[in-house]
Amino acid sequence: MSEAQEAPRMPDECGVPDPMPYMHPAMIKNYGAWDWHDRPQVGVLHHVAKSGDEVWTIKAGTQRQMDVYTIRNLCDIADEFADGHVRFTTRSNIEYTVSDEAKVQPLIDKLEGEGFPVGGTGNSVSMISHTQGWLHCDIPGTDASGVVKSLMDAMYHEFKHEEMPNRVKITTSCCQINCGGQGDIAINIQHTKPPIINHDLVANMCERPAVVARCPVAAIRPALVNGKPTLEVDEKKCICCGACFPPCPPMQINDPEHSKLAIWVGGKHSSTRSKPSFHKLVVAGIPNSAPRWPEATEVVLKILYAYKEGGRPWERMNEWIDRIGWPRFFEVTGLPFTKFHIEDWRGGRNALNASSHVHL
Amino acid sequence: MATKKLETPLLDQLESGPWPSFVTGLKKLADDEGKSYSPIMKSLLGQLEHSYETRKGFWKGGTVGVRGYGAGIIPRFSEVADKFPESSEFHTMRVMPPAGMHYNTKVLRELCDVWEEYGSGLIALHGQSGDIMMQGISSANVQPAFDAFNEMGFDLGGAGAGVRTSMSCVGAARCEQSCYDEAKAMRMVINNMLDDMHRPSLPYKFKAKFSGCANDCVNASHRSDFAVLGTWKDDIKVDQEEIKVKVAELGRKGFNDQVVNMCPTRALSLNDDDTLEIDNQSCVKCMHCINVCTKAMSVGDEKGVTILIGGKRTLKIGDLMGTVMVPFHKMDTEEDYEWLVELSENVLEFFADNALEHERTGEMIERIGLVNFLEGVGVDVDPNMVAHPRTSSYVRMDDWDEEVAKWNERKGTAAAE
């Protein structure tokens, strides 16, 4: 035994790393001094700096959840073809930047040859932003990674071509917390049954007042079952949102049969043209069909191709629908309009049509 | 000892098709005999296949951390560890990437080496908050893995009721539309909040995100409590000769349809000689015409930021979009960046002191009203903060004259500048 134990290592709270040591030299040199850009081909951005310097950025799709071999392979490609630098986009695409135009095509060929599709630029369908799912999350209703793989297989052409009216950002989420975010199309879990409660475990595992406070509709109340303190749910009030499940795992919300997928459209983060907007419900009750989710894929493609067909240049999904109107949206997509499409949450009246503007 | 061949008929179906398959990667790690992660990943694949069979997840949280920090590790313990024991502990480490997610291959390889030694060999680039998600590590290995990452200059990100990992767009590094130094602003703001990230004790999570213009490539407007968006105050820059080139390319009808008529404030008009007239005072800096005419049009010189407050997703009162709290602040000098840091600090402090448990910034503002929030953080009201003034007459306005005097005083100060 050592006499004087070494003091334990304490963290160096270094925070967000400085990107400069990792950045491509042409980006460092022209930082904040770019002039214009264009897109010479799908998957390639061409930026020209005020200094006259030019760079070409090649964007490729990845599976996001990557093994070290895949990452090292992407590094090998960067070392051989792209000056040893990469960056990632918020949608898990990888970007290689080169300052020599002659390097563009060999890099594209190499990436495609290694199975990484080049695309995702301009008015294409980019990679779906998504969450963890069954691989790692503690509350997942589905496996976003599998849904995404299935959908991206089906939309592969649309990733590699710029044929959409505007960019299409798609998201998936494994619960109604919606970690995937707003999307032109969003594929999210929607539970349809109240939680099934294991009353023997609630007292030990859950901070009951916090669980009661978390319910958006005040449907949870303290109860005594078999002499044990627990929680019960007013099933008439319950909206099956699953908010009680994360802080109280014995309130199981996930159900192989009754946890369904719902599809939403018209979410938009940017303030470009129209103000940012939330996505709106269009379809629910889609079965959670692992491992390939064919029913969800079919609906997504139906919406996507209706937009591709009917959208005018630069209209995002929400802007296309604003122009043609919801009646026409449901008509051209062949999707049903039900009482569930009418908002009854707080502020819901703002979602009603307070005018004589009707589409006939 | 040879482990028996794992059957994953459901997951195998995710290996077909042209998009890169995460399942193929998982299997490669599982089959990497001799590596410490191989048995873990065999077991993990077994559990994932079990999830695909039962359509249920089998992870539960817990308490795992590193010395000195109260966040940054997402503990995951298997609920089916009896069936899949080697992956019974499969925690995630959230590691903050360099701002803008730039890497050189040397540092990426070093990250892989550490994760190969201590973890599962599985890395998600990146999580929805912007973290490098190091997925799958045992409780015992968390500290040495963190020490190795930390020695490389990497730090853990946020989790729980604290400041979360942030994101900034590519911005000034490679985009002419960038209106401020996004990476610098992000690092200054976030690195000033590390105590509330590493030792979370806020009412609930707090997110800040940084986009260089209204295109908002990191989705700040809705996905952050404190959204910093680049903008500018002077005129859009136009190269009229390049406009003519664009008109020739799209045709007059095309140019009118795709550029002029899509302006949200009708600020554009194509002249008879194919030059473009711009009503700059009506322009809201939405970026559309600049996006379409990348060579002919560009952002102005008097650059700065607009700050939105209170964006968040559903839980608990419903979705909230961030709304304007600072219409414009120039971002030229070091003092401007320090102003931003101070403002973010005031907002965070007000949130910490005034939000209820599990209440986000936007929900707090919904409860107390924007005016009380603004007074708390020392920001004056501005007509840019509203879509329109109030429509309800049910309000007491006893001190109307005092408020008018304040407005006039501010107008006077602005005019004198």
Side-chain angles (χ1 to χ4, degrees):
Chain A
M1 280 206 356
S2 66
E3 306 229 331
Q5 281 231 321
E6 232 183 287
R9 182 188 182 280
M10 292 308 284
D12 169 10
E13 300 200 34
C14 47
V16 184
D18 182 359
M20 289 301 173
Y22 309 116
M23 201 180 283
H24 190 282
M27 294 198 215
I28 297 172
K29 186 187 161 201
N30 298 291
Y31 197 87
W34 294 93
D35 192 14
W36 59 276
H37 80 278
D38 61 3
R39 298 193 311 279
Q41 65 186 95
V42 182
V44 182
L45 306 168
H46 167 229
H47 285 88
V48 180
K50 288 175 177 154
S51 67
D53 288 356
E54 294 176 81
V55 294
W56 288 262
T57 299
I58 291 82
K59 187 185 278 199
T62 75
Q63 62 271 55
R64 190 179 95 126
Q65 247 99 237
M66 288 182 275
D67 57 290
V68 288
Y69 288 94
T70 298
I71 298 174
R72 287 177 183 138
N73 187 18
L74 290 166
C75 287
D76 289 343
I77 296 170
D79 287 337
E80 192 180 344
F81 294 88
D83 312 337
H85 297 268
V86 302
R87 81 171 279 275
F88 286 87
T89 72
T90 55
R91 307 185 87 77
S92 302
N93 297 311
I94 190 167
E95 290 183 344
Y96 294 88
T97 295
V98 296
S99 40
D100 177 2
E101 192 178 5
K103 291 181 172 174
V104 172
Q105 198 54 50
L107 175 55
I108 292 175
D109 295 342
K110 178 68 181 174
L111 283 164
E112 291 280 350
E114 294 292 318
F116 300 105
V118 172
T121 50
N123 297 343
S124 63
V125 177
S126 190
M127 167 63 163
I128 299 171
S129 76
H130 68 104
T131 49
Q132 304 291 351
W134 290 327
L135 179 73
H136 186 260
C137 184
D138 57 338
I139 55 169
T142 189
D143 192 45
S145 308
V147 177
V148 168
K149 160 69 177 153
S150 304
L151 281 165
M152 290 312 293
D153 280 341
M155 299 187 296
Y156 189 71
H157 174 90
E158 305 302 340
F159 181 84
K160 289 170 61 70
H161 295 83
E162 297 179 355
E163 295 171 350
M164 289 289 155
N166 200 336
R167 63 192 62 192
V168 181
K169 297 190 173 187
I170 302 182
T171 71
T172 68
S173 297
C174 308
C175 75
Q176 289 177 224
I177 292 173
N178 189 217
C179 296
Q182 294 294 314
D184 289 292
I185 305 175
I187 303 101
N188 297 347
I189 273 285
Q190 184 85 23
H191 304 295
T192 63
K193 297 285 177 213
I196 293 168
I197 307 172
N198 184 338
H199 291 292
D200 292 338
L201 300 179
V202 170
N204 280 338
M205 288 179 73
C206 316
E207 200 189 319
R208 281 167 291 146
V211 181
V212 170
R214 206 170 145 112
C215 178
V217 292
I220 304 174
R221 58 198 171 214
L224 215 58
V225 174
N226 299 331
K228 280 184 187 165
T230 180
L231 296 168
E232 66 182 11
V233 172
D234 180 341
E235 299 203 349
K236 284 210 179 80
K237 279 169 95 177
C238 179
I239 49 170
C240 314
C241 71
C244 51
F245 179 50
C248 191
M251 299 179 79
Q252 177 61 255
I253 190 73
N254 291 312
D255 181 300
E257 203 53 46
H258 300 293
S259 292
K260 303 285 192 181
L261 293 175
I263 295 184
W264 308 68
V265 304
K268 171 173 172 285
H269 288 99
S270 80
S271 289
T272 310
R273 294 171 310 282
S274 54
K275 289 183 178 181
S277 67
F278 296 122
H279 50 229
K280 289 100 185 157
L281 175 73
V282 288
V283 192
I286 300 169
N288 186 17
S289 307
R292 294 293 310 195
W293 291 273
E295 301 90 346
T297 305
E298 193 190 328
V299 177
V300 168
L301 293 182
K302 207 182 265 185
I303 296 166
L304 189 70
Y305 289 125
Y307 164 69
K308 184 178 181 178
E309 174 78 24
R312 290 181 184 162
W314 303 104
E315 280 180 338
R316 285 280 293 268
M317 182 75 70
N318 65 313
E319 296 163 334
W320 167 61
I321 299 169
D322 281 350
R323 176 169 59 79
I324 67 169
W326 286 103
R328 184 106 181 103
F329 171 85
F330 284 100
E331 190 186 316
V332 297
T333 53
L335 298 169
F337 182 80
T338 71
K339 67 177 183 180
F340 297 111
H341 291 96
I342 296 176
E343 184 95 86
D344 59 0
W345 195 244
R346 71 169 70 183
R349 206 167 187 285
N350 296 327
L352 303 181
N353 181 7
S355 76
S356 67
H357 295 187
V358 291
H359 291 80
L360 301 171
Chain B
M1 191 183 79
T3 12
K4 69 173 167 46
K5 176 78 181 147
L6 189 71
E7 301 292 336
T8 54
L10 293 173
L11 289 172
D12 293 353
Q13 294 178 49
L14 286 169
E15 288 197 275
S16 60
W19 194 259
S21 171
F22 68 101
V23 172
T24 305
L26 295 179
K27 285 171 131 180
K28 185 152 189 177
L29 294 170
D31 292 340
D32 209 356
E33 300 297 342
K35 297 285 190 183
S36 56
Y37 51 72
S38 168
I40 300 171
M41 293 309 282
K42 278 195 179 72
S43 170
L44 188 273
L45 268 172
Q47 176 167 335
L48 189 58
E49 178 75 11
H50 184 54
S51 278
Y52 269 70
E53 284 162 3
T54 56
R55 286 186 280 169
K56 273 187 155 180
F58 295 99
W59 300 106
K60 61 184 175 196
T63 313
V64 179
V66 299
R67 260 191 310 276
Y69 285 0
I73 311 295
I74 313 297
R76 288 294 177 253
F77 295 93
S78 174
E79 291 173 322
V80 284
D82 53 327
K83 290 194 189 78
F84 310 103
E86 292 87 355
S87 56
S88 62
E89 297 171 356
F90 200 75
H91 316 312
T92 279
M93 300 182 74
R94 289 185 175 170
V95 176
M96 286 194 282
M101 297 171 176
H102 298 269
Y103 300 93
N104 59 24
T105 53
K106 180 170 174 286
V107 78
L108 265 184
R109 288 178 200 281
E110 284 169 11
L111 289 168
C112 288
D113 291 345
V114 171
W115 202 238
E116 176 170 326
E117 182 176 353
Y118 297 108
S120 68
L122 182 69
I123 303 174
L125 296 166
H126 297 80
Q128 285 298 313
S129 288
D131 290 285
I132 305 169
M133 304 288 275
M134 298 286 177
Q135 295 181 311
I137 189 167
S138 66
S139 305
N141 278 357
V142 163
Q143 186 69 47
F146 168 71
D147 290 341
F149 290 134
N150 200 211
E151 292 290 336
M152 289 171 62
F154 285 84
D155 201 354
L156 291 186
V163 171
R164 297 299 186 89
T165 301
S166 180
M167 283 200 264
S168 59
C169 64
V170 67
R174 202 206 54 213
C175 183
E176 73 277 10
Q177 301 175 343
S178 157
C179 290
Y180 66 103
D181 188 338
E182 303 82 1
K184 175 179 174 157
M186 191 264 242
R187 293 186 66 232
M188 282 179 73
V189 167
I190 299 301
N191 289 349
N192 180 55
M193 296 178 170
L194 292 176
D195 192 34
D196 283 307
M197 174 181 286
H198 293 144
R199 285 161 287 275
S201 58
L202 297 173
Y204 198 22
K205 65 179 88 166
F206 184 87
K207 297 183 176 184
K209 285 186 164 65
F210 300 80
S211 280
C213 74
N215 286 325
D216 194 5
C217 287
V218 297
N219 306 331
S221 307
H222 178 237
R223 307 197 69 180
S224 65
D225 301 274
F226 187 84
V228 182
L229 302 165
T231 189
W232 67 97
K233 206 172 183 179
D234 55 341
D235 293 354
I236 294 183
K237 289 198 216 167
V238 192
D239 180 334
Q240 296 290 3
E241 290 310 308
E242 287 292 342
I243 291 286
K244 289 178 187 170
V245 172
K246 196 74 189 176
V247 173
E249 179 197 325
L250 297 174
R252 284 210 182 102
K253 177 177 160 50
F255 191 89
N256 278 322
D257 284 350
Q258 295 188 35
V259 183
V260 174
N261 297 337
M262 296 198 97
C263 172
T265 56
R266 305 188 298 279
L268 301 179
S269 175
L270 187 64
N271 294 317
D272 289 341
D273 64 355
D274 290 346
T275 58
L276 188 64
E277 186 179 293
I278 305 178
D279 170 8
N280 272 289
Q281 283 202 313
S282 300
C283 169
V284 288
K285 281 71 181 177
C286 87
M287 298 300 294
H288 173 71
C289 57
I290 296 174
N291 287 343
V292 180
C293 309
T294 54
K295 213 170 170 182
M297 304 181 76
S298 50
V299 302
D301 287 321
E302 223 179 303
K303 295 175 192 170
V305 293
T306 297
I307 295 173
L308 310 190
I309 190 82
K312 58 168 283 293
R313 186 52 175 139
T314 324
L315 226 178
K316 165 180 168 179
I317 70 167
D319 287 85
L320 298 177
M321 204 59 83
T323 68
V324 173
M325 78 167 283
V326 175
F328 181 79
H329 194 283
K330 73 179 177 73
M331 293 298 277
D332 282 336
T333 61
E334 206 57 36
E335 288 75 50
D336 295 327
Y337 286 83
E338 278 157 19
W339 163 85
L340 181 65
V341 171
E342 200 184 312
L343 178 74
S344 65
E345 205 174 290
N346 290 345
V347 168
L348 185 64
E349 208 167 288
F350 186 88
F351 169 65
D353 291 347
N354 293 283
L356 303 176
E357 195 190 321
H358 213 263
E359 188 177 58
R360 291 283 290 274
T361 307
E363 290 166 314
M364 170 190 72
I365 293 172
E366 173 94 356
R367 177 171 55 79
I368 67 173
L370 182 67
V371 169
N372 283 321
F373 168 74
L374 293 173
E375 281 174 2
V377 296
V379 172
D380 295 325
V381 296
D382 186 286
N384 269 310
M385 293 171 180
V386 297
H388 55 75
R390 82 163 54 241
T391 57
S392 165
S393 64
Y394 287 178
V395 56
R396 272 189 72 158
M397 296 187 272
D398 307 29
D399 48 358
W400 172 264
D401 291 341
E402 285 88 332
E403 291 302 314
V404 171
K406 283 186 201 166
W407 166 261
N408 287 332
E409 193 188 331
R410 286 203 301 277
K411 292 271 282 188
T413 316
E417 271 173 5

